[in-house]
Amino acid sequence: FKSVQIYVDFGDDFNEKNTWFIKRTDNDFKSVFFPPLYAQRIRIDPCSKHCIVWNEKFEAVLHDGTKMPLNYIVNGLKDDKNRIFFMTEDPMFILNELPDGIKCLNMDFCVVECDEEIIKVFLEKEKRNRGLEEELQSVEKTLNEKNVLIKDMENTKVWRAYQSLKKGIKNHE
């Protein structure tokens, strides 16, 4: 079976001694974890292979029932569609700031395990798309600058004189 591995740091960093496994039956993972007392940080490994994760949400539920989203850091790359590409067989989310009074941690994400080559193809496509977007933005910027220049030229005395001269020549033809 597939599982998500949860590490708890009590101030002496993450280690195998303080880990829990939660069974993952498919690509959609939704679970609740009750961190032990004095937990300072939590690490969540969605799997033990290269993978892509999306729709990730980590939420602390406090003893008074208050829910609050938790920030995290990852050892993967996030694309513009909010997918996280993990180019490692040790993918992880680290929740560095657990609030006081945390009762449980709600975890929700989608994960697909895949070969490293598939992730490379996705990332190369994203890189190419970003390059095209940057090129398009550059062309649009140049076009806007040229339009401003044309407007400025149309407001000069020389341009108005040219327009009058052009109009006069057309009328004589």
Side-chain angles (χ1 to χ4, degrees), residues 1-157:
F1 72 92
K2 299 175 182 179
S3 65
V4 173
Q5 188 170 7
I6 311 292
Y7 293 81
V8 175
D9 174 16
F10 293 100
D12 54 353
D13 211 1
F14 299 110
N15 59 63
E16 295 293 327
K17 182 177 74 175
N18 299 316
T19 67
W20 288 259
F21 291 89
I22 300 174
K23 186 176 178 182
R24 181 171 58 84
T25 55
D26 59 16
N27 296 340
D28 294 324
F29 178 76
K30 188 175 257 186
S31 186
V32 177
F33 176 72
F34 293 86
L37 198 58
Y38 306 117
Q40 293 182 10
R41 299 184 308 152
I42 293 177
R43 172 180 150 181
I44 300 146
D45 292 7
C47 64
S48 58
K49 297 182 178 183
H50 296 86
C51 64
I52 303 170
V53 174
W54 66 98
N55 292 340
E56 71 284 353
K57 182 173 142 186
F58 303 103
E59 178 181 68
V61 179
L62 305 183
H63 287 287
D64 66 4
T66 304
K67 294 180 179 180
M68 56 188 302
L70 295 176
N71 294 324
Y72 56 84
I73 58 173
V74 296
N75 63 343
L77 300 171
K78 196 170 229 181
D79 72 358
D80 59 350
K81 293 179 178 75
N82 287 323
R83 297 174 297 197
I84 302 170
F85 293 84
F86 291 97
M87 292 282 293
T88 175
E89 293 184 352
D90 194 17
M92 66 182 79
F93 292 90
I94 298 178
L95 311 175
N96 278 323
E97 298 176 19
L98 299 179
D100 292 334
I102 184 171
K103 176 183 174 184
C104 64
L105 168 65
N106 292 332
M107 300 174 287
D108 189 2
F109 55 83
C110 297
V111 58
V112 172
E113 298 173 4
C114 53
D115 293 331
E116 183 178 4
E117 292 305 313
I118 291 173
I119 291 178
K120 284 181 182 177
V121 168
F122 268 108
L123 292 176
E124 193 58 41
K125 179 183 167 213
E126 287 298 316
K127 182 178 174 185
R128 194 169 39 251
N129 287 348
R130 269 194 300 275
L132 290 172
E133 287 174 15
E134 289 171 4
E135 187 176 336
L136 179 60
Q137 288 173 351
S138 175
V139 168
E140 287 174 343
K141 180 182 177 191
T142 301
L143 181 60
N144 287 337
E145 289 170 353
K146 299 297 182 191
N147 283 334
V148 167
L149 184 62
I150 289 169
K151 291 285 182 204
D152 288 347
M153 287 176 58
E154 288 174 343
N155 290 326
T156 63
K157 290 180 184 177

Side-chain angles (χ1 to χ4, degrees), residues 152-170:
D152 288 347
M153 287 176 58
E154 288 174 343
N155 290 326
T156 63
K157 290 180 184 177
V158 172
W159 183 264
R160 286 192 292 274
Y162 165 74
Q163 289 296 328
S164 294
L165 180 63
K166 186 175 160 186
K167 193 176 189 181
I169 291 173
K170 276 190 175 179

